[in-house]
Amino acid sequence: MVPKKDLDWGSLGFGYLKTDKRFISNYKNGAWDEGVLSDDANVVINECAGVLQYSQSCFEGLKAYTTEDGKIVCFRPDMNAERMKNSCERLEMPVFPVDRWVQAVVDTVRADEAWVPPYGSGATLYIRPYMFGSNPVIGVKPADEYQFRILTTPVGPYFKGGAKPIVIRISDFDRAAPRGTGHVKAGLNYAMSLHAIMDAHRNGFNENLYLDPATRTKIEETGGANVIFVTPDNTLVVPKSPSILPSITRRSIVYIAKEILGMKVDEREVYFDEVKKGEFAECGLCGTAAVISPVGKIYDHGTEYDIPSGMEKMGPTLQKLYDTLTGIQMGRLEAPKGWICVIDE
Ligand code: PLP
Ligand code: COI
């Protein structure tokens, strides 16, 4: 095993730290080149590049882990590759082939293996594949040339305080339009959310809970994670909507709940009124960065709705889901077939 960098892994937040290598491939004349692993963290593009003028970009997020027995693995990279394919198709960008995509993730993590945080440190290596239009465009149209890159950075918990329950508020802003790009991982969705997140932080909230943009009655997701609920009779309730990002973590949790924990799972439209009526015992945010982060309160224009699991710790069912998910990711529990991609034995 490659010796680890000398870092205080346990005190890492969710930030960027330059690592040694990144993958770079360019698309020109209708084809992707071979790609290289580079030391250069800077991107040099023309002032009129499609990404700079019309935000033609999309990205992914996944993590690499050091397992209990010292392997380096990542979690379901094929799912991220497929989702990026969908993002590219929606944004008129060329697809980086799924098998090459997964191989490029493996190669990049191998090259940055010394940056994969040790088992038990509470940190992981965040992997950020991204693509953008790189040649000049001035009329509104897709670029002809693109760059696909994969950077890595070691990270700690997304929300300060780790597993402590957070407070989220109903947002007056929307993150997606009814027939827009909410279901793909377009950079523009996140640009849309920046004012809302800063406003939430300035007012003391950890995140925004977005309602459906058409009727503002149904729960969608937060700026960077899907939402899940548990009812008092232990059913996992998962909001369904065409404008939320299909979280790989959420789809994995649904599988774990049904197939491993034998729970009932209800994937359906969820009305905010159900929260107001106190119909849920637990609530959490789920995603690569968020893992499962418990929600203790939801604030809506002057009224606080307390989630019965409280502000001290994660509720018992989310804790079971968290333990199973992270147990699989860290190699403590057997993984469903195809979930773990071994990068180094
Ligand atoms: N929803 C949004 C808006 C996100 O940015 C993310 C992060 O990727 C997620 C949900 C969670 O998706 P995943 O579990 O695939 O990381
Ligand atoms: C992820 O969880 O990978 C994301 O992309 C969310 C982002 C807000 C950090």
Side-chain angles (χ1 to χ4, degrees), residues 23-35 84 88 93-97 100 130-132 134 145-149:
F23 178 80
I24 308 173
S25 175
N26 288 297
Y27 180 89
K28 203 173 171 168
N29 301 324
W32 289 103
D33 69 14
E34 270 291 283
M84 191 155 190
C88 289
M93 299 168 78
V95 172
F96 195 81
R100 283 196 64 197
Y130 58 111
M131 191 191 292
F132 50 87
S134 55
E145 296 175 11
Y146 293 84
Q147 194 164 99
F148 172 58
R149 299 176 70 107

Side-chain angles (χ1 to χ4, degrees), residues 83 175 185 190 221-226 245 247-249 286-288:
R83 190 169 63 189
R175 77 169 276 282
K185 216 161 161 54
Y190 299 82
E221 60 174 327
T222 65
N226 282 180
L245 191 77
S247 158
I248 293 157
T249 313
C286 66
T288 298

